[in-house]
Every structure is written in structure tokens, then in C-alpha cells.
Amino acid sequence: MRMLKIEKKTYTSTKSILFGSLVALLMGFGIASLIFWAYGVNLLYAYQKILKGSFGSSFAVSETIRRAIPLLLCGVGLSLAFRASFWNIGAEGQILAGAIAATWVALFSGIPEPLLIPAMFFFGFLAGVVWGFIPTFLKSKWQVNEIITTLMLNFIAASIVLYLIHGPWRGEEKRGFAYTNTFPQVAWLKMIGTTRVPWLTLILGLVAATLVYILVWKTTWGYEIRVIGENPDAGRFAGMSHFKVVLLVMFISGGLAGIAGVGEIAGIHHLLRNPEHISLGYGFTAIIVAWLARSNPLAVILTSLFFGAMFSGGDTIKVSLGIPFQAIYAINGIILSLLIASIVFTDYKISIRR
Amino acid sequence: MNWQSWLIGIFRSMGYGTPLLIATLGEIYSERSGVLNLGVEGVIAFGAFVGFAITFQTSNPWLGLMSAGLAGGLISLIHAFLSITLRANQVISGLALTMIGTGLAGLFGRGWEGTPLPFLARRILLTQNNFIFFTLILALLLWFFLFKTRVGISIRATGENPAAADASGINVWRIRYWCVFVGGVLAGIAGGYVSIIYRPAWTEGTTGGMGWLVIALTIFSFWNPIWAILGAYFFSAIFHLSFRLQAWIAPELLKSSPYILTIITLFFIGILKLKIKKAPAALTQPYERGE
Amino acid sequence: MKNKTLFLVMALLCAILMVASVATKTVEAEEKTLKALKAGFIYVGPPGDYGWTHAHDEARKICETFFPWLKTIYVESVPEGQAGSVIDRLIKEEGCQVIFTTSFGFMDETLEAAKKYPEKIFAHCSGFERAPNMATFMADFYQVYYLNGLIAGALTKTGKIGYIGAYPIPEVKRHKNAFDIGVREVNPTAEVHVRWINAWFDPDAAAAATESLIAEGCDVFAFTEDSPAVVQTAAKYGFPSFGHYSPMYKFAPDYVVSGQIVHWEVFYLDFLAKVYAGLYTNQNLENVDYWLLLREGAVEVGAEPGMVINPIYEEALKAVTVDDSLLGKISVYDLCLKRLKQMSDPSMVFDPFEGPIYDRNSLLVVPEGTRLSVSELTAIEWAVEGIVGPWPGEPGVE
């Protein structure tokens, strides 16, 4: 049986990372082209449309940014979590937690109108933190695998949303359909110009990315996070508290995801509805966004934009090319696999052992 | 409501539990060898489609099931290659598999929707009962294999301490590849079961959500095939009960109970420091000789 | 280093591609015949659901074949909340002049878009908000469910009939009520046991709900769910059922007695023709609300088009008779066909929701001799007597 000898390189240059990713992307697009061709779509036309649909007009750019914002917020949080080797797969659930909190504030809290938006973000952040706390606690105290706990909490959060919209929070104005009432206008996020991009969450995302970057590389906290992430034993040896570090990390990660949820609810939906339509898989996509950015919050800005463009271009594919959306889903998966493989080739030196 | 109707109800709910059990048995093997496969959702969907398509073309459900299994196994090799050979992050790799599997299933499935399999209802009922029987036997066999044979011990060793296993001559990579492959085959069969026997038709999203239940169930059954039997039918009974009890308990809360129970299970494993029933220690860690 | 140059070349290529895409015009040629109309359809699910979206899509295709001047484009599986940006794309990038949104959940976004694009025309399905350039439309099954109920009442041996519904919204409640009214007309002691799966599409849940009702003793089944799961599950145990939305006869030819079938093209053809002819403009749609029933041909009763009652069940239905005050002693089979004729008549000689009707708490909800108006029909929350089971939002019960 052939054996690949794989050694981790001591240093990987940004250039080779970019190069490797680019090759993977091109291969991915190559496969995508096959699918387009199978659907009888002119390839040049297809790519023109896709690029135009993601960047080619101010509308397209705004769509790309709009889709990128929740990915940016969650991605930054996840990049921090992953850096501490805490595999937070629960961003979907934390988004929903934020959404629930925002709904409560807007409809049931009785908070005075001018304070509604700040309150929504405050409580949304808190809700995300709370939702992320359970797996954090379980991991720190009893080494319970966080991959599973965070994953399960996604479904539980979705169930809670479903319960609320069908039961106690069902809106009287909605003729029996499963929605809460629509939020008052003051609780709607303001957009940039005529686009659908809410400036508040955009700024929050960019600020978060910067702050987290500073946190990780310029503070002692950040140092501890990095040590715990790469070598937990060394950290323990040096007297670092694993619990406190992970708590801080998840505080930010859960909170940012909660904010993403608030952004979606207050910016797009203005009510609570079917959880799948709220979180839209952003929590899972953000995992990939963070991973692709090698857990670097500034790079997350780029990768979130990239995926924003994929979504936006995907919409174009759906609308203009008539290619079923499942194709995009499959293409994304294939591109992701190729990117995973490319990481190996950039991060590791491979030789065949005979 | 009399006892009999409840019992009948429970038995009737076994239908959903059977594919759940089959796929879980596969995931147990995969995780026992140390590889977490989050892509089960995609594998099941892909298997469901392939199984349906082949059965439709050949009018042979057994051929359909076998192809479903084979398709599931093959597509899981993507995850195996990425996470075992290339030692990539198992979470990401698994998610990629989910995307590919569900995407391809939905993509290829277009045009097949609404076409029923031209079979008699009677034949299906017969097969379903047989299948439950087969599945139980399978679970017992797999339990025996895992705990009472040398290969089974090797598998478990690989999942607990791959370095030690490697040192004692076990081919860690081969074991993991096989386990992921078998996991995929079983997940594929489970998917095929749903689209051929349980509800013979193809519609978009026909197996939605089963993969995540499988992951929960794998843990809930403490990675043990026998307990998985109880767990699978218990989960499916909850599902069935959520309709019976609709008037008293909100169905959404009841349906989230498998996930809650899983967390509670993990909590107890952790707090009681159960040595016997812990997760395979090396789960999700790629293995490299000399690292 | 070789890698470096390769990388730069790749980056350059990408940049060129991007610039090219922005700079050049699209390849697609705009076919401008005399006067073309482009309509965009927004679906909440995939046409492959063989249910709601499938039916709309079939209608769309019929329109395209029928009208040479019509071009259509559809977008499937649009999540609620995203319709707004899809509409933006359809209008800005695809040049659509008419937009159809086919789910209640798109209502607010459609209204918003109607205000944003006052020159374009919008039509929203199953909603209640309108604007000068936004109409509403709906094809309702309550009459068809009533007819199915007549049949169910005659076929049941246990006196218990199951109805698996999606959401406890007035639409589904209305259908369950109509079904029950039909059942009780033939079999005054029979019960309709209801369940809600809280989803439009969830075959597993529908199958489980069916099994749960079977365990309760039900032996005939109707449902509101976008898949043949109930039909197949019921057939598995040998029970008859009524197909929903799309012709489901082929899923169990021995067990599908009848059903509800929709023909959305009745709406689309009419609406698009009127838009094209200039009868409907972006100014006069404020009060345009299509409420389509049997007499318009938008809905049909049957296991498949043309088969009102499955011939296998003909004999059984002829064997059961009912004493009707106006029609005398009549077999259920003939009663069913007679009622169909009465309701298909333009003046709608018969309506199931004509009083006196009592809900299951013995309240008189429809007084003698009156019929429910359209707005009352779309707001039904009560359960007719004979219905057994959970009924969220039931008035007077909290």
C-alpha cells in the first residue's frame, strides 16, 4: 500500500497559501463548468453572468456585501474559537438565540422605542453568549466534546424558535400562520442608501474583525489563547486557566453570532419565522469562512466576501441560468473539498515513501 | 386510549427506526476507529437517490439497495481520503461531504420527483418486516464483530490510541479507511431503505435530518451496536409519539428531545468519568506516525 | 521561483476575467417581437415537490405554450426573507414586468417591492395585502374537501376518519371543517380525527402522523401535505385515502378514492391575458382578488383529472344511501356527483358552509340560511362538531 509521507512545513508563506487556494478554486470552477455544460449553458455566458451578478453592478456588490455580513460576524467569532481549538459548530444555534432575543426586545419587552435597536443588539449578544456557554462549561469542566454539544444545540435552538412561532409568540395579525407580529418600524435596521445592506452590522463586523485581531496578536489574553490552542499542556504548565480562556473566547464567538442573528432579524425579516429561513446555513458556512482564513480575523473579511460572492453569484445562477440551486450546493462542497486538499499541499511537504 | 393502540403505534413507528439504526451502526464503526463523519447526512441523501434511481430502472429493490450502499461507501471515500490520508480537519471535511452528498442527490434527482416505484403495497409491507429482522441480526453481528473478534479489537484500539495500535502492528490507516467506507455503505443502505421501502418515491429532501439524528444516536448509544438498537427505536418512537401527544405536549419540544438527550448523555459520561463508556479517545484526531 | 510567477499569472488572469465581465455587455440577445411580456415566478419550494410548487410550475409551463408573446422565468426554493432581493434581480437583471410570488410568507416583501417598483405588476398568492399594482389570488379546495368528505363518510367502517393537516391556519381549518361537514352529512355519528405536522412538506412526519391515526382506529384518510406520504402509508395498511393537490392516483391505484386537484393555469392565463391586453395595469389592481373555486375550473375533485371517483369504489358508494331533505333517498355516489354539479354551477346552488352550523363546543357559528362570505371563510378558527383532536387557536378554549 502506497504511503504518503507528509511532514508539516515549519513555515508557510501567504503566497503559497493563496496560490494553493487559487489552484483549488480553479479546479473547482472547472468541475462547476462541467455541470454547467451538462445543463447546456454557454460557459462564457455563465461566468460572465456570475461575475456580473456578484460584482458587476452596484446592486450585485451590495448583495455580495449583504450576504457577507453575517458570515463576517460569525466568522470572526469562529476564527477566535478555532484559534483556541474550541470547535464551535453551534453558530447556527447562536444566531437563532440572538434572533429570539431580538424578537423579545422588539415585541414583548416594553423597552422604550428609541432604545429598541441598541437593546436588541445587547440582548442578542447576551443570548448568543448564553447559548455558547453550555458547551463551554461542559468542555472545560468535564471534557465533553464540544463538536457534538454545539451541534446538538443548533437543533434545540431551532426547535425553540419553532415552538415560539407556533405557540406563545404567534402573531394575532398573521391569520394563524406561524410568524410573530411584525416589529415596529423603529426596530428595523437602516440600510445604506437604496441597498439592502444595513450599515450598523457592517460596521460592527469590521470593527469586530479589527478588535479580535488586536486581541489575538497584541494582548496577553491573545497570547494565552494561542498557546492554549496550539499546545494545551504547555498552557496548563504555564499556569493558564483553560476554563477562563475558553470562556472568553466563546463569550466573543457566541456573542458575535448572536449579533449576526439580530442583524438578520432586524434587517431583513422584522419578525420571527421558520428558523431555517433565518439562519440559512450561515453558521455552518461561517465555519468554512473562518477555517479558510486560517483563523485570522482580518482574512475573514476577505473570505466572508468571497462566500458572499458565492451566494450572490449562486442567486444569479438560480435566477438567470436556470441551474438548480442544488448544483451550487454540490459545487460549494466540491470546492471546499479541493480547498481542504490544497491546504495539505501548501502546509505540508509531501513525498512518496517507497 | 387503550394499551393495544399504543403498542400498535410503537410497532408501526419501527419503520423509521430501522434506517436510523442501520446508518448509526455504520457511524459507530467509523467513530470507533477515530473518524468522525459529519457527512452522514449527505451520504444518506445520496444513497437514497441512487437506490431509488436504480430500483426504478431495474425494478429490482435489492439491486437498488446494494447500489445505494455502494454509492454511499464510495462517496464517503472523499471524506476518508481528506481526513485520513491528508489528515485534514474532520469537521470541515465532513461538512464538505454533507454539501456534496445532498447537493448531488438533489441535483440528479430532478426530474424523478413524483414518479412512484411501480410496486405493490403488499410486497413492501412484507419486505419492511423482514428488514427489521435483518437489521436486528446485523446489529448483533456487528456488536459481536466489534467486541469479540481480533479485528474488532484492532478497530477499537485505533480509536483509543492510534500510536499504540500502530506500534503493535495494526495498520491504522487501513482500519480507518475500511470503517469510514463501511459507515458510508450502511448510511447509503439506510438512505436507500427510505426511498425504496419506507416511502417509495423520490421528492426533494426526502431524508432530511436523519444524518444529524444518526450522529446524536451514535453517542446516545455509547458507541455500542446493541444499545443503538434501543436508541434507534426509542428515537423513532419519540417521533411517532410527538403526534400522539400533540394535544398535550408541543411537538417541537418533543422532537428536539433526541438532541437534548444526547447532550445529557455526554454530560453523564463526563461527570461520571465513565471509563468504559467514553468516546473513543482519538476521535477526530488525525494520525501521523511520529507526531 | 516558479511558483511565484505562476501565481502572478493566475492572479492576472482572474483580474482580467473580472474586468471583462464588468466591461462587456451580456451575450444574451433581447428578443423584441411586437410586444413581449416577461413574467417572473418566485417559488417557495422546488417544482419537484410534486405539490404546491409543482402545480404552479405546471401552470407556468402551460402559459408559456399558450401565449407566444410570453416569456417566463422562475426561481425556486427562495427562502422567506430573500424574496425581496430575488425580485430585485428579476426586475433589474432579467427585465421582468410581472412578478408572481407563490407563498403567503412572501406577502410583506411583495408589498414592499410593489411600492419600490410602481411601474411593475405583482400578484401574490394566498395573501390579503393589495396595492394599485399588486393583486392577490387563491384557488380554494373547501368544496372539493366537502365532496371527499361525503365519500369518506360512506366508506368508513370504524366511524373514524383521519385528516393530517399542515399548519393550524384558517385555510387548513376551513378544509378540515368542510371535509367534516361532508362526512357528517352521510354519517352523522362519524368522527374526523385531526393531526397537525406543522410543515407543508414533511413526508416522514406525515407518515408518522398517519400511523398514529391508524393506531387510533381511523380507516380513511385525507390530508394537506405536499407529498404522497399519507397515500402510501395508508395504502401500506390497506386503507383508502384522498390525493392532495397533484394527481396521486398512480401512487396507490387500489386505494386512492378521490382527491383534490388544482389548476393554477385558470388564474395565470386569465391574469396574464388581461395584463397583456392592458385591462390590468399598474394602477387598478387594488381590488383584484381572485377567489377561484369549482365553478371556475381552478380546482377539481378526483384521484386524477377526469376520474372523480375511483371505479373500484363505485359499487361501495352506490350501496350507501342518504336521506336528503331536498333530494330524497339518494346513493352517496349520486349525491356526490349531484353536489359537484350544484357547486360547479355559476350561481353555486349549494355551499357546504350554509347554516345552521355548530362548532364542536355547541356554538352556532353560521346562522340558518346564511352562507359564509369570503372574508369569513378566510378567517375560520373554529372546529365543526365531529372533529376530534388538537385544534390550536380554537376560539373559546384557552
Side-chain angles (χ1 to χ4, degrees):
Chain A
M1 203 171 189
R2 53 125 183 78
M3 284 261 257
L4 293 176
K5 184 162 178 226
I6 303 179
E7 295 157 27
K8 197 166 172 40
K9 283 193 209 152
T10 42
Y11 169 71
T12 31
S13 66
T14 330
K15 283 203 190 80
S16 55
I17 293 176
L18 282 175
F19 176 65
S21 308
L22 211 59
V23 169
L25 275 176
L26 286 170
M27 281 176 72
F29 285 131
I31 297 183
S33 305
L34 277 172
I35 297 182
F36 293 160
W37 172 76
Y39 272 89
V41 177
N42 179 305
L43 285 179
L44 198 61
Y45 173 62
Y47 281 111
Q48 249 184 357
K49 266 283 195 198
I50 293 173
L51 284 168
K52 217 180 164 89
S54 354
F55 296 112
S57 64
S58 60
F59 168 71
V61 170
S62 76
E63 274 295 286
T64 298
I65 296 179
R66 176 180 78 91
R67 299 294 219 135
I69 291 177
L71 294 177
L72 175 60
L73 284 163
C74 291
V76 168
L78 289 179
S79 71
L80 189 61
F82 292 168
R83 200 158 271 286
S85 285
F86 189 88
W87 298 103
N88 179 7
I89 315 294
E92 288 274 303
Q94 289 142 24
I95 290 176
L96 291 174
I100 294 175
T103 308
W104 174 79
V105 167
L107 293 175
F108 304 107
S109 65
I111 291 176
E113 294 210 326
L115 293 174
L116 274 183
I117 292 192
M120 289 201 294
F121 279 100
F122 177 73
F123 284 104
F125 185 88
L126 231 54
V129 169
V130 165
W131 206 243
F133 178 71
I134 304 169
T136 312
F137 190 70
L138 289 174
K139 166 94 187 257
S140 285
K141 276 288 187 274
W142 295 299
Q143 287 82 50
V144 175
N145 188 312
E146 73 278 18
I147 295 177
I148 306 293
T149 44
T150 49
L151 184 62
M152 296 293 115
L153 282 172
N154 289 337
F155 300 110
I156 298 174
S159 293
I160 296 179
V161 172
L162 282 172
Y163 167 68
L164 290 172
I165 58 176
H166 283 114
W169 284 10
R170 193 202 295 245
E172 326 80 51
E173 299 163 11
K174 297 298 174 182
R175 303 271 181 103
F177 282 93
Y179 304 98
T180 61
N181 283 332
T182 310
F183 295 176
Q185 281 276 338
V186 266
W188 293 34
L189 287 181
K190 303 282 181 298
M191 306 288 149
I192 297 177
T194 50
T195 65
R196 293 176 189 273
V197 179
W199 59 263
L200 186 54
T201 41
L202 177 61
I203 307 255
L204 280 174
L206 294 171
V207 166
T210 323
L211 287 179
V212 169
Y213 179 79
I214 295 175
L215 170 72
V216 174
W217 273 281
K218 311 280 185 202
T219 67
T220 31
W221 276 115
Y223 177 69
E224 291 192 17
I225 292 171
R226 282 181 284 137
V227 170
I228 296 265
E230 277 172 51
N231 197 336
D233 292 323
R236 226 163 288 141
F237 218 59
M240 297 178 190
S241 165
H242 189 261
F243 182 48
K244 285 206 196 120
V245 167
V246 169
L247 207 62
L248 170 69
V249 154
M250 277 305 287
F251 179 81
I252 297 176
S253 184
L256 284 176
I259 288 190
V262 175
E264 291 297 291
I265 286 288
I268 298 177
H269 304 285
H270 316 301
L271 45 67
L272 197 62
R273 58 179 10 139
N274 187 313
E276 281 167 17
H277 293 173
I278 299 176
S279 58
L280 288 177
Y282 284 140
F284 286 117
T285 313
I287 295 172
I288 303 168
V289 165
W291 174 82
L292 205 58
R294 310 298 181 93
S295 302
N296 179 329
L298 290 180
V300 169
I301 299 178
L302 287 172
T303 52
S304 61
L305 267 175
F306 172 68
F307 272 91
M310 291 263 266
F311 279 129
S312 189
D315 279 348
T316 307
I317 292 177
K318 255 168 84 163
V319 175
S320 306
L321 300 181
I323 291 177
F325 69 102
Q326 297 102 325
I328 301 158
Y329 207 45
I331 292 173
N332 280 358
I334 294 173
I335 290 181
L336 182 58
S337 303
L338 289 167
L339 283 168
I340 294 173
S342 80
I343 294 249
V344 179
F345 290 103
T346 48
D347 279 8
Y348 295 83
K349 194 173 129 189
I350 301 185
S351 46
I352 300 194
R353 209 192 16 203
R354 277 270 141 247
Chain B
M1 247 173 272
N2 54 31
W3 268 118
Q4 282 150 315
S5 76
W6 278 90
L7 220 57
I8 294 173
I10 303 294
F11 273 118
R12 297 234 159 96
S13 78
M14 307 262 280
Y16 188 71
T18 306
L20 197 57
L21 176 58
I22 297 174
T24 305
L25 291 172
E27 180 70 10
I28 287 178
Y29 265 68
S30 177
E31 292 194 15
R32 276 280 183 184
S33 77
V35 180
L36 175 68
N37 187 355
L38 286 181
V40 209
E41 177 83 4
V43 178
I44 292 178
F46 192 63
F49 167 72
V50 171
F52 178 80
I54 300 284
T55 310
F56 190 79
Q57 299 285 61
T58 64
S59 295
N60 184 336
W62 298 109
L63 199 60
L65 276 177
M66 276 169 28
S67 342
L70 192 63
L74 288 175
I75 206 178
S76 315
L77 286 178
I78 298 176
H79 175 61
F81 179 67
L82 290 174
S83 58
I84 301 173
T85 305
L86 296 187
R87 292 166 38 228
N89 185 304
Q90 290 179 7
V91 171
I92 310 282
S93 163
L95 287 180
L97 184 59
T98 299
M99 291 164 79
I100 295 177
T102 35
L104 288 179
L107 186 62
F108 294 149
R110 294 177 77 88
W112 294 90
E113 311 96 349
T115 30
L117 289 178
F119 290 133
L120 320 152
R122 232 155 297 155
R123 184 168 170 192
I124 292 167
L125 183 60
L126 208 63
T127 324
Q128 184 168 302
N129 284 340
N130 284 350
F131 226 84
I132 295 179
F133 183 65
F134 285 146
T135 310
L136 293 174
I137 302 283
L138 180 69
L140 289 168
L141 283 173
L142 286 174
W143 174 84
F144 186 80
F145 191 76
L146 189 61
F147 285 98
K148 303 287 184 199
T149 67
R150 252 185 85 215
V151 183
I153 294 175
S154 311
I155 294 176
R156 287 184 291 132
T158 310
E160 291 294 332
N161 192 336
D166 191 18
S168 62
I170 297 173
N171 188 331
V172 169
W173 297 270
R174 189 191 293 177
I175 296 238
R176 285 187 166 180
Y177 258 94
W178 271 109
C179 285
V180 172
F181 181 74
V182 165
V185 167
L186 289 172
I189 292 180
Y193 180 93
V194 171
S195 68
I196 299 173
I197 297 175
Y198 186 60
R199 250 186 333 96
W202 173 262
T203 31
E204 172 81 34
T206 192
T207 55
M210 188 179 279
W212 305 117
L213 272 179
V214 166
I215 295 185
L217 187 52
T218 306
I219 295 160
F220 184 68
S221 52
F222 293 97
W223 297 271
N224 184 322
I226 301 285
W227 293 52
I229 300 176
L230 297 169
Y233 290 114
F234 177 58
F235 278 10
S236 77
I238 290 180
F239 190 52
H240 170 93
L241 280 174
S242 72
F243 292 105
R244 287 291 227 124
L245 302 175
Q246 194 165 52
W248 300 280
I249 305 180
E252 301 90 16
L253 298 179
L254 203 55
K255 281 207 264 190
S256 67
S257 53
Y259 307 110
I260 300 177
L261 286 170
T262 305
I263 295 184
I264 294 178
T265 305
L266 284 174
F267 170 69
F268 275 118
I269 293 179
I271 198 170
L272 300 178
K273 298 203 193 330
L274 292 170
K275 281 281 189 277
I276 312 152
K277 299 191 171 59
K278 237 169 51 155
L283 187 59
T284 75
Q285 286 162 23
Y287 174 64
E288 163 59 10
R289 190 172 272 173
E291 201 165 74
Chain C
M1 211 166 73
K2 234 195 329 183
N3 273 353
K4 198 168 170 176
T5 20
L6 210 58
F7 165 67
L8 284 171
V9 168
M10 299 274 196
L12 204 62
L13 271 173
C14 275
I16 293 176
L17 249 178
M18 280 181 65
V19 173
S21 76
V22 178
T24 55
K25 279 189 161 281
T26 47
V27 175
E28 126 192 347
E30 289 286 341
E31 292 172 25
K32 285 266 188 257
T33 49
L34 273 170
K35 177 185 156 196
L37 192 66
K38 193 161 184 190
F41 289 72
I42 296 186
Y43 300 147
V44 72
D49 66 358
Y50 207 67
W52 175 269
T53 300
H54 178 89
H56 282 276
D57 199 55
E58 291 295 300
R60 178 191 65 85
K61 291 192 227 172
I62 292 176
C63 289
E64 234 183 11
T65 9
F66 213 70
F67 294 138
W69 39 260
L70 179 69
K71 265 194 91 183
T72 65
I73 186 167
Y74 73 90
V75 189
E76 62 176 277
S77 297
V78 176
E80 293 179 5
Q82 308 300 324
S85 54
V86 172
I87 294 177
D88 287 339
R89 274 183 203 273
L90 284 173
I91 292 179
K92 290 188 181 156
E93 292 178 4
E94 293 297 323
C96 290
Q97 296 132 307
V98 182
I99 303 274
F100 295 108
T101 48
T102 60
S103 173
F104 178 80
F106 294 140
M107 186 169 72
D108 294 329
E109 302 171 80
T110 314
L111 190 59
E112 209 183 294
K115 295 195 183 119
K116 190 166 160 185
Y117 301 104
E119 350 70 60
K120 307 290 177 195
I121 291 178
F122 295 84
H124 175 240
C125 185
S126 71
F128 52 82
E129 296 273 7
R130 281 180 290 280
N133 59 340
M134 175 174 160
T136 50
F137 63 102
M138 182 59 178
D140 201 81
F141 283 135
Y142 77 88
Q143 299 166 324
V144 184
Y145 271 106
Y146 161 78
L147 292 170
N148 290 163
L150 292 174
I151 299 171
L155 288 178
T156 176
K157 299 188 181 72
T158 61
K160 294 184 185 160
I161 298 159
Y163 190 134
I164 296 107
Y167 291 100
I169 54 175
E171 176 190 326
V172 186
K173 287 184 176 177
R174 175 170 68 244
H175 296 167
K176 291 197 180 188
N177 283 334
F179 184 70
D180 182 76
I181 291 174
V183 165
R184 308 268 290 187
E185 186 169 325
V186 166
N187 192 334
T189 52
E191 297 172 336
V192 174
H193 290 234
V194 300
R195 283 289 184 275
W196 310 93
I197 55 177
N198 285 306
W200 291 114
F201 176 77
D202 193 344
D204 291 324
T210 311
E211 286 174 336
S212 128
L213 286 172
I214 291 176
E216 238 171 67
C218 299
D219 64 353
V220 184
F221 295 91
F223 62 100
T224 302
E225 192 260 334
D226 279 346
S227 83
V230 176
V231 167
Q232 291 173 313
T233 312
K236 212 160 60 171
Y237 296 102
F239 296 125
S241 58
F242 297 95
H244 172 71
Y245 226 75
S246 300
M248 294 192 172
Y249 173 70
K250 58 188 178 181
F251 288 102
D254 291 341
Y255 295 103
V256 177
V257 191
S258 181
Q260 321 93 41
I261 298 174
V262 73
H263 296 285
W264 284 113
E265 59 274 15
V266 169
F267 161 72
Y268 287 115
L269 287 171
D270 185 83
F271 189 79
L272 283 168
K274 289 186 174 147
V275 168
Y276 190 70
L279 277 165
Y280 282 158
T281 67
N282 60 340
Q283 317 272 346
N284 60 5
L285 297 180
E286 186 90 50
N287 294 312
V288 174
D289 178 31
Y290 283 73
W291 176 253
L292 301 169
L293 303 169
L294 275 173
R295 64 182 169 186
E296 288 91 359
V299 296
E300 186 182 338
V301 60
E304 60 176 26
M307 184 195 285
V308 174
I309 296 177
N310 189 330
I312 299 181
Y313 290 89
E314 221 177 276
E315 222 181 287
L317 290 172
K318 285 190 174 148
V320 180
T321 54
V322 174
D323 253 310
D324 183 79
S325 48
L326 288 170
L327 300 168
K329 203 167 165 100
I330 182 172
S331 78
V332 173
Y333 184 81
D334 293 322
L335 176 63
C336 194
L337 294 177
K338 181 84 183 149
R339 289 281 186 242
L340 173 58
K341 208 150 162 241
Q342 287 177 324
M343 292 192 288
S344 305
D345 187 281
S347 54
M348 258 167 54
V349 179
F350 175 83
D351 187 277
F353 285 112
E354 188 173 313
I357 297 180
Y358 291 89
D359 75 2
R360 64 177 181 177
N361 298 315
S362 303
L363 242 69
L364 182 67
V365 284
V366 185
E368 171 133 18
T370 56
R371 286 188 187 178
L372 289 178
S373 66
V374 175
S375 58
E376 284 172 325
L377 282 172
T378 51
I380 291 183
E381 291 288 354
W382 37 265
V384 179
E385 54 178 348
I387 292 190
V388 172
W391 196 264
E394 190 168 6
V397 180
E398 273 310 285

